[in-house]
């Protein structure tokens, strides 16, 4: 490796760490200007290789909470994808699980694919695979979704994490995300500049030829909305100096949360780190993340495939806990709040729609017990 190339990789690593730990879009703009990237549009590429991407991205999610839900689901999918590939199975093959429940049973030994059937300590261990961390200020915090899933190589990022409308997961039966557009739903809620930071490294044990010659490196970029003179609408672009995803080498990065209020300090060895700067989560969800946001996510993802860990790292909050597992509403009701239900519930049924069977879960709440679950 030449000295110039080594210095470039070191500069990229320094830049990636600065961006990952920046907790406001204002600071991100300052960092990018100091590197000469902010105003030089030759260093940026259109998201999804589509200069008209604004109309597609703007039509995804109607609220900020449902948009962040899609990011969480994508991270859960990434963990399932990694586990299947660790077993030498092509996710698109007939040998792969044909449903989420089958994947949970075969990959993690979870009976019937129901998180209620494993202990709290087992859920705690699984929850460390996907985390949602709140940092920055109380009004428009930054929310970072981190997963220890399959990760993506720098060479593959334009076709995966930075693609639009590609059917990357359409033929994979055991994941929840399908159409590769939901991840963009968060963009309109990311501050004034609509900025998101993406950092990823492929799990070393599943690297193959398709991952390219830089498969062992971290790749990162910034996504932002750009107003371009002569274009009728703005567009989303991502940082790619010289047409390439910035990359660097490192065995691990100290970007996982440590004890409150330290949002950084523990090491991430591979996976994906996505940060949403100054995210407009909404006035009803700005409290300690283990409270109102936790309740809302339980309702939005009632049967989440894997538990996730919510971590509050904003200073100034008082509470008994600054981290909490989110297992979905079904587990919450079956596990902790069963006394809120009428006797004999939950129960189930099914509706047949042509050749498809739609399963239904039915919960009947005791009088005055439902309002806690319908809040926000």
């Amino acid at each position: 490796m030449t000295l110039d190339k080594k210095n470039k990789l070191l500069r990229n690593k320094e830049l990636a760490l600065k961006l990952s730990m920046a907790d406001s879009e204002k600071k991100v703009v300052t960092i990018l200007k100091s590197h000469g990237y902010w105003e030089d549009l030759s260093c940026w590429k259109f998201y999804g290789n589509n200069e008209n991407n604004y109309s597609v991205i703007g039509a995804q999610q109607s609220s900020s909470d449902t948009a962040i839900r899609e990011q969480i689901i994508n991270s859960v999918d990434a963990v399932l994808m990694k586990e299947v590939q660790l077993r030498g199975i092509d996710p698109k093959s007939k040998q792969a699980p044909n449903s989420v429940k089958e994947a949970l049973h075969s990959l993690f030994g979870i009976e019937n694919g129901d998180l209620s059937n494993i202990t709290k300590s087992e859920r705690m261990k699984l929850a460390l695979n996907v985390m949602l961390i709140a940092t920055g200020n109380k009004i428009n915090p930054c929310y970072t979704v981190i997963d220890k899933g399959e990760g993506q190589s720098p060479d593959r990022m334009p076709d995966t994490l930075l693609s639009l409308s590609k059917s990357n997961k359409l033929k994979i039966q055991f994941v929840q995300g399908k159409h590769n557009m939901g991840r963009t739903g968060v963009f309109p809620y990311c501050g004034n500049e609509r900025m998101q930071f993406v950092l990823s490294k492929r799990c070393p044990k599943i690297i193959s030829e398709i991952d390219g010659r830089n498969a062992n490196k971290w790749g990162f970029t910034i996504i932002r909305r750009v107003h371009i003179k002569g274009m009728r609408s703005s567009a989303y672009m991502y940082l790619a100096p010289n047409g390439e995803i910035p990359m660097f080498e490192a065995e691990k990065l100290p970007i996982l949360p440590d004890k409150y209020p330290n949002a950084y300090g523990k090491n991430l060895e591979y996976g994906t780190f996505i940060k949403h700067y100054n995210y407009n989560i909404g006035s009803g969800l700005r409290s300690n993340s283990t409270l109102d946001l936790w309740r809302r996510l339980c309702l939005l993802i009632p049967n989440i495939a894997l538990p996730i860990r919510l971590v509050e790292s904003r200073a100034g909050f008082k509470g008994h806990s600054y981290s909490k597992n989110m297992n979905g509403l079904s587990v919450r009701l079956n596990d902790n709040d069963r006394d809120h239900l009428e006797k004999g519930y939950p129960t189930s049924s099914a509706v047949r729609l042509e050749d498809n069977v739609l399963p239904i879960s039915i919960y009947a709440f005791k009088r005055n017990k439902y309002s806690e679950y319908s809040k926000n």
Side-chain angles (χ1 to χ4, degrees), residues 12 232 243 287:
N12 282 344
R232 296 178 63 181
S287 62

PDB file of all heavy atoms in Angstrom, residues 12 232 243 287:
ATOM      1  N   ASN A  12     -10.035   9.081   6.170  1.00  0.00           N
ATOM      2  CA  ASN A  12     -11.410   8.601   6.095  1.00  0.00           C
ATOM      3  C   ASN A  12     -11.896   8.067   7.438  1.00  0.00           C
ATOM      4  O   ASN A  12     -13.038   8.300   7.842  1.00  0.00           O
ATOM      5  CB  ASN A  12     -11.527   7.509   5.030  1.00  0.00           C
ATOM      6  CG  ASN A  12     -11.558   8.070   3.628  1.00  0.00           C
ATOM      7  OD1 ASN A  12     -11.778   9.264   3.424  1.00  0.00           O
ATOM      8  ND2 ASN A  12     -11.333   7.217   2.642  1.00  0.00           N
ATOM      9  N   ARG A 232     -35.913  21.335 -11.302  1.00  0.00           N
ATOM     10  CA  ARG A 232     -37.229  21.809 -10.855  1.00  0.00           C
ATOM     11  C   ARG A 232     -37.518  21.416  -9.413  1.00  0.00           C
ATOM     12  O   ARG A 232     -38.353  22.033  -8.756  1.00  0.00           O
ATOM     13  CB  ARG A 232     -38.314  21.260 -11.784  1.00  0.00           C
ATOM     14  CG  ARG A 232     -38.180  21.777 -13.211  1.00  0.00           C
ATOM     15  CD  ARG A 232     -39.238  21.187 -14.113  1.00  0.00           C
ATOM     16  NE  ARG A 232     -40.593  21.585 -13.706  1.00  0.00           N
ATOM     17  CZ  ARG A 232     -41.701  21.176 -14.321  1.00  0.00           C
ATOM     18  NH1 ARG A 232     -41.597  20.349 -15.361  1.00  0.00           N
ATOM     19  NH2 ARG A 232     -42.874  21.575 -13.897  1.00  0.00           N
ATOM     20  N   GLY A 243     -16.341   9.360  -7.106  1.00  0.00           N
ATOM     21  CA  GLY A 243     -17.308   8.353  -7.509  1.00  0.00           C
ATOM     22  C   GLY A 243     -17.316   7.099  -6.664  1.00  0.00           C
ATOM     23  O   GLY A 243     -17.997   6.128  -7.003  1.00  0.00           O
ATOM     24  N   SER A 287     -39.730  12.396  25.188  1.00  0.00           N
ATOM     25  CA  SER A 287     -39.315  12.081  26.555  1.00  0.00           C
ATOM     26  C   SER A 287     -38.236  10.998  26.530  1.00  0.00           C
ATOM     27  O   SER A 287     -37.772  10.586  25.466  1.00  0.00           O
ATOM     28  CB  SER A 287     -40.519  11.595  27.372  1.00  0.00           C
ATOM     29  OG  SER A 287     -41.041  10.398  26.801  1.00  0.00           O
TER      30      SER A 287
END
